[in-house]
Amino acid sequence: MSTGALIVLLVAVGVITFLYRYAMIGLFASRSLPAWLHALCRHIAPASFAALTASALFVHGGTLSIDLGAPKPWAALVAALVAWRTRSVLATIATGMAALSLFKFLF
Amino acid sequence: MTTITAPARRARVREFLAGCRDEAPLQLGVVPFGMLYGIGALAAGMPAWLAQLASAVVFAGAAQLVIVQMLTSAAGALPIGLTAALLNLRHVLYSASVADYVRHLPRRWRLLLAYLLTDEAYAVAILRYQTASPGKDQAAAAADTVPGVDLRHWYFLGCGLTLWATWQLSTAAGLLFGATVPPEWDIDFAVPLTFIALLTLLLRERAGQAAALAAALGALAFATLPYRLGLVAAILLGLLAGVWATRRGEGAR
């Protein structure tokens, strides 16, 4: 993406995010939120993170490539186990990066 | 302008500093994310000045990491914008949650507090609002210092500015550090690793599991859609699955 397009994108996301934050304080101050919005918001984060993780591991250059000889999926698996046990973001990143170096060396 | 008495000014400063102090412990968790964003942004090919500017303009950690990850996988501007817009939708809920407490403030205050309404600032500020003398009249409720005057927006401001400063500084630290990391370290892999860590924290309830599983499978199934629009389709599929699982869970009870 060109730098110009990236600037437009970031400003657009910034404006949208600000409008979300200002929405009920300033724009629609007298209205209440529909129940479905609460229900939907609970699922957005897990769905986004799962889609991006699966894509980072198994989609390369716009094509699906499930390659079990590649080091990244295995490093991700080690990281997921550590995340499950420790619930620590830092420990997950540290072990995942260490596992990636190890598997790149071994495979 | 009305003149401000010295005790009133001291009460404001005290409230502001209380906000800064209560927000401080959360900074420990924020710094790694800010640094990771800075490092990832460089690895994704963003110019450093633009990455720093984005931390001020967007000012939303999860969305900024998602943008970086999607840039790394060469996504188009539209899918990135849609995904970030979806991910940040929760801020409308925060906005609704604080609306009753800030409605009486002048517009410049509401604009400023809206800009500072992040996950972490909300989490601390809402506690201050909800724990102060419940059941009483709101203006009177916060009058621990000056009778009849609600000063809790100064506390909110303290929370928000503390987080803002940490986010800008940790982004800068990440950009400085990221420039020294050799490319063969695959440092950009730290971003999906972060998503894995956050996912395990979010997967305690069954509806979240259904949403995540459907979105992950969708990301593989729609991999060939142009501009990575498959990611947006996958997230929408995940939302459908999550809502469906919640309904089914309620029906079974």
Side-chain angles (χ1 to χ4, degrees), chain A residues 6 9 14 17-18 20-21 24-25 29 33 42-44 46-47 49-53 56 62 72 79 83 87 93 97 100 104, chain B residues 57 59 77 85-86 88 91 95-96 99 102-103 110 114 117 184-186 193 195 205 207 212 215 219 223-224 228 242 246:
Chain A
L6 193 53
L9 169 68
T17 304
F18 175 77
Y20 286 156
R21 289 168 171 163
M24 309 311 288
I25 299 175
L33 290 181
R42 278 168 55 208
H43 305 304
I44 291 174
F49 296 151
L52 285 167
T53 304
K72 278 185 182 176
R87 301 203 170 277
I93 295 173
M97 292 305 294
L100 180 63
K104 266 171 49 179
Chain B
V57 172
F59 191 32
L86 261 179
N88 278 344
H91 290 97
S95 179
V102 301
R103 191 165 289 153
R110 284 182 286 140
L117 187 60
E184 61 268 23
W185 280 18
D186 281 317
L193 289 175
F195 295 152
E205 51 177 305
T224 51
R228 292 290 189 277
T246 311

Side-chain angles (χ1 to χ4, degrees), chain A residues 1 3 5-7 9-11 13-31 33 36-64 66 71-73 75-77 79-80 83-84 87-90 92-97 100-101 104, chain B residues 32-33 36 46 49-50 54 57-60 66-67 69-71 75-77 80-81 84-93 95-96 98-99 102-103 107 110-111 114-115 117-118 184-187 189-190 192-202 204-205 207-208 211-212 215-216 219-220 223-224 228 231 234-235 239 242-243 246:
Chain A
M1 197 182 300
T3 304
L6 193 53
I7 293 173
L9 169 68
L10 292 170
V11 169
V13 172
V15 168
I16 291 168
T17 304
F18 175 77
L19 289 177
Y20 286 156
R21 289 168 171 163
Y22 190 58
M24 309 311 288
I25 299 175
L27 297 177
F28 313 103
S30 55
R31 317 234 184 113
L33 290 181
W36 60 262
L37 192 62
H38 285 271
L40 203 64
C41 281
R42 278 168 55 208
H43 305 304
I44 291 174
S48 307
F49 296 151
L52 285 167
T53 304
S55 175
L57 295 177
F58 300 117
V59 179
H60 302 289
T63 49
L64 182 64
I66 297 181
K72 278 185 182 176
L77 183 66
W84 196 257
R87 301 203 170 277
S88 155
V89 177
L90 278 184
T92 305
I93 295 173
T95 346
M97 292 305 294
L100 180 63
S101 317
K104 266 171 49 179
Chain B
F33 283 106
L36 184 62
M46 267 172 95
W49 63 269
L50 188 53
V57 172
V58 178
F59 191 32
V66 162
I67 290 170
Q69 178 57 35
M70 291 184 80
L71 284 173
I80 298 179
L86 261 179
L87 193 64
N88 278 344
L89 194 59
R90 68 187 184 285
H91 290 97
V92 180
L93 304 185
S95 179
V98 298
V102 301
R103 191 165 289 153
R107 175 174 289 148
R110 284 182 286 140
L111 287 167
Y115 170 65
L117 187 60
T118 53
E184 61 268 23
W185 280 18
D186 281 317
I187 193 77
F189 191 55
L193 289 175
T194 311
F195 295 152
I196 289 173
L198 295 175
L199 257 181
T200 54
L201 296 175
L202 290 168
R204 285 186 214 171
E205 51 177 305
L220 305 184
T224 51
R228 292 290 189 277
L231 284 171
I235 294 166
L239 293 182
V243 170
T246 311

Side-chain angles (χ1 to χ4, degrees), chain B:
Chain B
M1 279 308 280
T2 49
T3 26
I4 306 157
T5 61
R9 189 178 293 121
R10 273 201 302 277
R12 284 176 180 182
V13 171
R14 199 156 48 224
E15 193 70 17
F16 176 80
L17 291 177
C20 298
R21 189 194 56 219
D22 292 350
E23 186 69 30
L26 279 76
Q27 308 312 300
L28 220 58
V30 171
V31 169
F33 283 106
M35 288 192 65
L36 184 62
Y37 161 72
I39 294 166
L42 283 188
M46 267 172 95
W49 63 269
L50 188 53
Q52 184 72 56
L53 197 66
S55 272
V57 172
V58 178
F59 191 32
Q64 287 177 243
L65 280 174
V66 162
I67 290 170
V68 160
Q69 178 57 35
M70 291 184 80
L71 284 173
T72 304
S73 58
L78 184 69
I80 298 179
L82 285 173
T83 305
L86 261 179
L87 193 64
N88 278 344
L89 194 59
R90 68 187 184 285
H91 290 97
V92 180
L93 304 185
Y94 303 157
S95 179
S97 169
V98 298
D100 280 345
Y101 305 113
V102 301
R103 191 165 289 153
H104 65 283
L105 296 171
R107 175 174 289 148
R108 61 196 153 82
W109 262 103
R110 284 182 286 140
L111 287 167
L112 177 61
L113 293 179
Y115 170 65
L116 296 173
L117 187 60
T118 53
D119 299 85
E120 293 84 358
Y122 169 78
V124 178
I126 196 66
L127 282 179
R128 174 78 181 92
Y129 278 118
Q130 291 181 343
T131 53
S133 321
K136 272 199 217 162
D137 174 64
Q138 245 172 53
D144 356 335
T145 43
V146 179
V149 181
D150 186 347
L151 291 174
R152 289 175 293 180
H153 50 290
W154 288 94
Y155 181 93
F156 191 164
L157 184 67
C159 298
L161 283 182
T162 301
L163 189 85
W164 191 88
T166 305
W167 189 243
Q168 306 311 320
L169 290 174
S170 55
T171 297
L175 289 169
L176 289 174
F177 179 71
T180 67
V181 175
E184 61 268 23
W185 280 18
D186 281 317
I187 193 77
D188 53 338
F189 191 55
V191 179
L193 289 175
T194 311
F195 295 152
I196 289 173
L198 295 175
L199 257 181
T200 54
L201 296 175
L202 290 168
L203 288 188
R204 285 186 214 171
E205 51 177 305
R206 180 163 299 169
Q209 295 168 5
L213 183 65
L217 292 176
L220 305 184
F222 307 137
T224 51
L225 288 186
Y227 311 113
R228 292 290 189 277
L229 271 167
L231 284 171
V232 181
I235 294 166
L236 293 177
L237 186 71
L239 293 182
L240 277 178
V243 170
W244 175 78
T246 311
R247 288 250 172 90
R248 227 178 66 121
E250 281 164 2
R253 243 187 279 134

